[in-house]
Amino acid sequence: MRPRILALSPVVAASGAGADYRLRLDREAIGPCKGTLMSSLSTKIQDALSEPGCARNVNKSEAERRKGCTKQLQPGGAAGGCAFDGAKIALQPVTDVAHLVHGPIACEGNSWDNRSSVSSGPDLWRRSFTTDMDEMNIVFGGEKRLYKAIREVVEKYDPPAIFVYQTCVPAMIGDDINAVCKAAARRFGKPVIPVNSPGFVGSKNLGSKLAGEALFEHVIGTQEPDITTPYDINLVGEFNLSGELWQVKPLLDQLGIRILSCISGDARYRDIACSHRAKAAMVVCSKALINVARKMKERYGIPFFEGSFYGIQDSSDSLRNIARMLIARGAPTELMTRTEAVISREEAKAWAAIDGFKPRFAGKKALLVTGGVKSWSVVAALQEAGLEIVGTSVKKSTREDKERIKELMGQDAHMIEEMSARQMYEMLKDAKADIMLSGGKSQFVALKAAMPWLDINQERSYAYLGYAGMVKLMEEIDKALYNPIWDQLRRPAPWESVSHSACEGRMRDRPAVHAAPRLQAAE
Amino acid sequence: MTQNAEHVLDHLELFKGQEYQQMLANKRALFECPHDPAEVERIREWSKTPEYREKNFAREALTVNPAKACQPLGAVFVSAGFEGTLPFVHGSQGCVAYYRSHLSRHFKEPSSCVSSSMTEDAAVFGGLNNMIDGLANSYNMYKPKMIAVSTTCMAEVIGDDLNAFIKTAKEKGSVPAEFDVPFAHTPAFVGSHVNGYDHALKGILEHFWDGKAGSAPKLERKQNGKINVIGGFDGYTVGNLREIKRILELMEIEYTILGDNSDVFDTPTDGEFRMYGGGTSLHDAANAVHAKATISMQQYCTEKTLPFVEDHGHKILAFNYPLGVGATDDFLMALSRITGKPIPKALEQERGRLVDAIADSSSHIHGKKFAIYGDPDLCYGLAAFLLELGAEPTHVLSTNGGKAWEEKMRTLFASSPFGQNCHVYPGKDLWHMRSLLFTEPVDFLIGNTYGKYLERDTGTPLIRIGFPIFDRHHHHRYPVWGYQGGINVLVKILDKIFDEIDKHTNIAGKTDYSFDIVR
């Protein structure tokens, strides 16, 4: 293994570009070292990239599909997270295992506890474990250090399992985490799961899929549940951010539906290990782990559907789908009657609550900048509350998503493709909207463009899932719309308006000044 | 022994020791005729009810936990803001010791101030001799450039005439005839420290501008382009006045701060003791009469001074502790209007930064309810800022707030949708506030150090803004005025909000599902 360092180093030094590592590694993978971790990894990557369960992927031409679903990163361009980040995000919510990151400090140092997923019990997942590799480890290899780190985690914390995350540096020097994990698992008698998704292999989304692969390969189906019921389901791709899962769980509880395993929000290792005994699965609001659902269908015959608890109609549809699937697999048919009863009760409550916002939202315009299903799943609720949606982003949306958007917003629906911060700024400045709903990344751009803003993606502090979540969302929109600071944000300093005509030339580059007349026009 | 010489415990830990606990328990049981604990608990609970609140608000004579101090404190505070000036309080020395410790404990600085140490015989025969001896001793011992005289109640009750006394003292050679000894009558049984500030400042200006109590010709006003700024009684005087000076300099406005105690209450430690550090020079104080305009940052601290200044031909303008975006806008635009100087780009950028900061954090403050108490202007400024943030200043209480202030607060509430359920309580004390916090709870309380009892009793988290702040250090060094000051206040409020969120989510394994790194 070791000589590979020498082979790789000159490439690194000469080019300094990420794409070259990849070429080099890929070449190695198909070269004489076949059978090593890199080759199995690249197979997995190909596998993940051509995911047949992914609607977006299926719609592509053969040639496009071969290119994979991750867009090649553009050197020099602003970009999102890496494959390691994607893997960590997908698995971090498993609460009772130790998440051990093998690499120099940066990977774990920056990702430690950075998402507000929530645990109902164990807090070990929040402990930051890393091998914190130093120069010597890189020269002599980090495998021994990793092994020792695993031993120390076992000795000090004795978790039900350890997830070991590969990162760029040890992958480049050829640390074989699969082998280390295997040896450690044998030695310590407990599952040590290699999550082989070093950052350089691609995007965050790919990393999530690779994490899913790790679960499928090493965890799912390794234990048996104490009991099974006809009402057991899996939720896949739900991360219990801000405790969202718990806004839906009481409804399932009322219906007697048991979440056998949630992958991976508020999950325990054992739940996931037993998840192959579920009767049905729902892929929640996420393309990231669809490969897990598909493979579980293939291997264990668990049917799944893609659904969302985001928005009222979606919540109802999802509950119905769950009930329908369970009945198809042998649950009593009266489940549907009960489900309908819960749905009509919850819908009535939610719509009544949302109705109250109508007078306050009348004439207000909202812009949605988010991705995937969210691009349309909240639209209905927002519209019902009286907001006009003037645009929605379709960055991560599939063709179906786009159809749904047209259905809801009409053929002229303003769909926004991916854009840079500068483009977004330009668009916000001109958009005749009163509020933008988006993820945290757009927050600061929105504010600079004097656009009231509300976070509806993951790093928010409030849970918007399910019926109650939609009402909460309305409350937060209401607060955001009526916060007095927006007036200040959109007005120039008062002394500017006094000398408005005097310094028009200077004002041309001031967004806040543009905003004021535009708002008046909008009213 | 719980205490031992090898490892000496301080009181935080010592009295938790078993011996002391036993002793305290015995004392209570054997000597204090304790009430039945259940009865004590019942009364405690009763004191939280609306019924009790009604009785509490019906109080006529008793004041419990007042949120105000007496006139001479304000007089000492402003007098110290002039070059080489020794505040001299005619009356009993105990009062003066209080002012000094009050100021020292808040600013963590020595506070130079003397009294005429009146005793029983002075109370019977008048304090003239004390004035004569006192001025002579002060002059000789402390070498001031000016002695600013104010009074305690004792001198006021017997009616000592400062003007005549000082004249007599000068005749008797206590101080040279031309030595500046301005004076003001500042009885504690009228008004509060904000009025004392007002009277003493007016006394000093009167002295310089109107002929030094008949001993010199009145100054003839020749208007120049300068403006005067009066800070008012302010626990943040160190940070605030420096911020005001910075703003004035950015705008290239020539100015005089009247009573500039920013350096007085913040002297450097460099091996030299400055009994009189900084302050408005006496020359500037006299020449302030020529200024074009005088701006008071606190209306209720200058109710007498401003009309006096106006009579001398100045344009006058009063603010109410301008805090936040709108109030600072008004202040800067007033400066610009009066002086004709434009507001520079640098300040416009600071404004944008404050707006940006507020917008970034707006959702955390929006809709939160606050109770505020303090001096009338501070309360007004804070309430206005909270309304700007989308918060509700539900209870605003000022023990030294009067009818006019009450009206002004109501107008402020009426101007904002967030003020609709807010109420103003003039002349009430902190025991009234206690009832308010129990019967109409709010999310946060803003007040001085004494608010910590309310925080403990009612569980309402206290944000310390006001005077005095004894139990937290150095906050007076940071401005709360100007856009920068607005950011400081915003951060203070946000810190407490986030601390509270953390506090309510920090039980390991129980509530820590929301103990988040990112807020």
Side-chain angles (χ1 to χ4, degrees), chain A residues 159-181:
Chain A
I162 298 167
F163 286 7
V164 174
Y165 297 81
Q166 178 70 301
T167 62
C168 295
V169 168
M172 280 163 57
I173 64 172
D175 277 2
D176 186 347
I177 69 158
N178 290 9
V180 175
C181 288

Side-chain angles (χ1 to χ4, degrees), chain A residues 126 447-448 479 483 496, chain B residues 345 348 356 360 366 512:
Chain A
R126 273 189 152 169
L447 293 182
K448 305 301 172 200
K479 264 164 72 176
N483 192 295
E496 290 286 340
Chain B
K345 195 81 192 159
E348 197 172 318
D356 185 59
D360 287 345
H366 191 116
D512 58 354

Side-chain angles (χ1 to χ4, degrees), chain A residues 122-304:
Chain A
D123 68 347
L124 191 63
W125 67 287
R126 273 189 152 169
R127 216 66 58 84
S128 173
F129 298 114
T130 175
T131 50
D132 188 13
M133 294 172 77
D134 62 15
E135 229 168 359
M136 295 305 273
N137 302 134
I138 290 157
V139 175
F140 295 108
E143 290 172 354
K144 284 199 177 120
R145 187 177 177 83
L146 174 60
Y147 183 82
K148 278 189 205 158
I150 295 170
R151 189 178 67 209
E152 283 170 12
V153 167
V154 172
E155 283 168 357
K156 289 206 165 63
Y157 299 93
D158 193 27
I162 298 167
F163 286 7
V164 174
Y165 297 81
Q166 178 70 301
T167 62
C168 295
V169 168
M172 280 163 57
I173 64 172
D175 277 2
D176 186 347
I177 69 158
N178 290 9
V180 175
C181 288
K182 205 167 172 182
R186 204 163 36 224
R187 177 75 178 77
F188 306 124
K190 70 172 58 210
V192 182
I193 315 300
V195 182
N196 211 338
S197 178
F200 58 65
V201 300
S203 69
K204 201 154 146 177
N205 180 285
L206 173 63
S208 296
K209 287 202 164 72
L210 292 174
E213 292 292 327
L215 287 184
F216 187 72
E217 198 171 318
H218 300 285
V219 185
I220 294 167
T222 57
Q223 295 185 30
E224 289 299 328
D226 298 330
I227 52 157
T228 58
T229 77
Y231 302 101
D232 291 350
I233 61 163
N234 291 333
L235 297 179
V236 181
E238 161 54 46
F239 302 115
N240 200 26
L241 298 171
S242 306
E244 286 194 320
L245 174 61
W246 301 339
Q247 306 217 131
V248 177
K249 191 169 176 295
L251 300 180
L252 296 173
D253 288 346
Q254 282 172 26
L255 293 169
I257 294 170
R258 178 168 77 148
I259 303 174
L260 183 65
S261 168
C262 179
I263 301 174
S264 56
D266 194 20
R268 308 292 183 274
Y269 182 77
R270 183 172 156 71
D271 300 346
I272 298 180
C274 297
S275 61
H276 61 299
R277 294 301 179 203
K279 299 292 183 292
M282 171 177 170
V283 177
V284 183
C285 220
S286 166
K287 303 281 175 213
L289 290 177
I290 190 143
N291 54 334
V292 176
R294 178 184 56 86
K295 290 193 169 177
M296 287 178 81
K297 183 179 175 189
E298 284 164 10
R299 187 180 292 175
Y300 304 108
I302 304 171
F304 71 93

Side-chain angles (χ1 to χ4, degrees), chain B residues 126-138:
Chain B
L128 179 59
N129 286 337
N130 295 68
M131 178 68 83
I132 294 168
D133 292 349
L135 285 181
N137 289 336
S138 301

